[in-house]
Amino acid sequence: MDQAKNAVRTRIWDLLEREEAVPQLGVHGRIPNFHGAAAAAERLAALPVWADARVIKAVPDKAQEPVRALALEAGRLLYMAVPKLADELPFYLLDPRKLSVPPAQAASRDVAARIAQKVGVDQLQPVDLVVCGSVAVNRQGVRLGKGAGYSDIEVALLQEAGLISDQTIIVTTVHGLQVVDERLPESEHDFRVDLIVTPDEVIRCGPPRRPKGLIWEHLTPEKIASIPLLAARAAR
């Protein structure tokens, strides 16, 4: 399974670089930033699901920075995962009413790390919209991240805590070249996205699929040890 996923990731990373769809080379191993990321964010912000969302949870990747900026500019409460969930309080809280810098700056991962309050899962409000990054995604909503599994863990934590449900929309913003027509390998712990937004189109997927919570047997001891929240739970 991992080998099949990695083959797809490598193909898409190579394609994005070959077609000059990314601002700089070296996207292998990353959620790729892409040309048109701001346009994709604007397209997302024009959707009813965005208008209805008051609390948004987003990944910290550069590709989704325009989404985070628009969320803060629109007055949305924004939660952003601490990179690699590497803190006992694994989310940044960005409240647009309390920012000490303009929203576009606060949306930067580096700036957020300096100015945002860190909060635990038990301090989060229910989330209306989840924004994730992807390396590849198909029109059924099956996505591949960079392979580290952090987005899957974030969604599982929110699901366990009752902060999201099957009705909560999960969206990914990507370049059109990242959308594939083929079947993608899928693990039990993987979630599917409900919406794919590119600079040029909105793709509605379905039906929703997400695990009810963490699948501990899919987590290596090294992964558990590297994420303080999981290490504390495992110790109990």
Side-chain angles (χ1 to χ4, degrees):
M1 178 73 75
D2 287 345
Q3 187 174 2
K5 289 182 174 182
N6 285 332
V8 176
R9 292 183 184 108
T10 299
R11 192 180 81 234
I12 296 299
W13 284 324
D14 287 344
L15 175 64
L16 291 170
E17 292 189 344
R18 186 170 64 249
E19 297 297 324
E20 299 181 347
V22 292
Q24 59 187 39
L25 301 181
V27 298
H28 284 245
R30 303 174 182 270
I31 296 295
N33 192 16
F34 58 93
H35 291 306
E42 293 280 359
R43 189 173 290 277
L44 170 58
L47 297 177
V49 67
W50 179 272
D52 293 340
R54 291 293 171 264
V55 180
I56 296 173
K57 201 289 292 183
V59 290
D61 299 286
K62 182 70 174 178
Q64 283 67 49
E65 185 175 314
V67 177
R68 300 193 297 271
L70 288 179
L72 293 173
E73 288 168 4
R76 308 304 201 267
L77 190 70
L78 179 67
Y79 297 122
M80 185 174 80
V82 172
K84 299 183 179 180
L85 300 172
D87 194 278
E88 292 179 2
L89 302 173
F91 294 95
Y92 294 120
L93 165 61
L94 291 162
D95 186 337
R97 300 168 300 175
K98 301 177 181 178
L99 295 178
S100 57
V101 299
Q105 292 182 30
S108 161
R109 177 172 64 184
D110 294 338
V111 175
R114 294 199 303 270
I115 69 168
Q117 175 188 357
K118 290 178 182 175
V119 292
V121 175
D122 59 345
Q123 297 169 277
L124 303 186
Q125 296 183 30
V127 173
D128 301 313
L129 181 67
V130 175
V131 181
C132 67
S134 302
V135 175
V137 62
N138 67 19
R139 292 173 184 269
Q140 289 70 50
V142 182
R143 66 173 282 280
L144 298 180
K146 62 188 175 187
Y150 295 112
S151 285
D152 294 314
I153 293 171
E154 291 164 30
V155 168
L157 289 171
L158 296 178
Q159 190 86 23
E160 278 187 353
L163 297 166
I164 63 172
S165 69
D166 287 347
Q167 282 68 54
T168 307
I169 299 298
I170 303 180
V171 59
T172 189
T173 55
V174 294
H175 192 279
L177 292 176
Q178 294 173 258
V179 182
V180 300
D181 292 323
E182 69 203 72
R183 292 185 62 180
L184 291 175
E186 192 173 20
S187 303
E188 185 184 358
H189 61 257
D190 293 330
F191 64 87
R192 293 188 182 187
V193 301
D194 305 292
L195 286 175
I196 303 165
V197 182
T198 79
D200 303 307
E201 65 175 329
V202 176
I203 302 167
R204 288 170 173 80
C205 314
R209 178 193 183 279
R210 57 203 65 167
K212 296 302 180 186
L214 291 167
I215 303 176
W216 284 91
E217 55 267 32
H218 289 195
L219 299 171
T220 65
E222 293 77 18
K223 178 67 72 178
I224 293 171
S226 71
I227 298 175
L229 175 63
L230 299 189
R233 289 192 183 185
R236 292 197 299 267

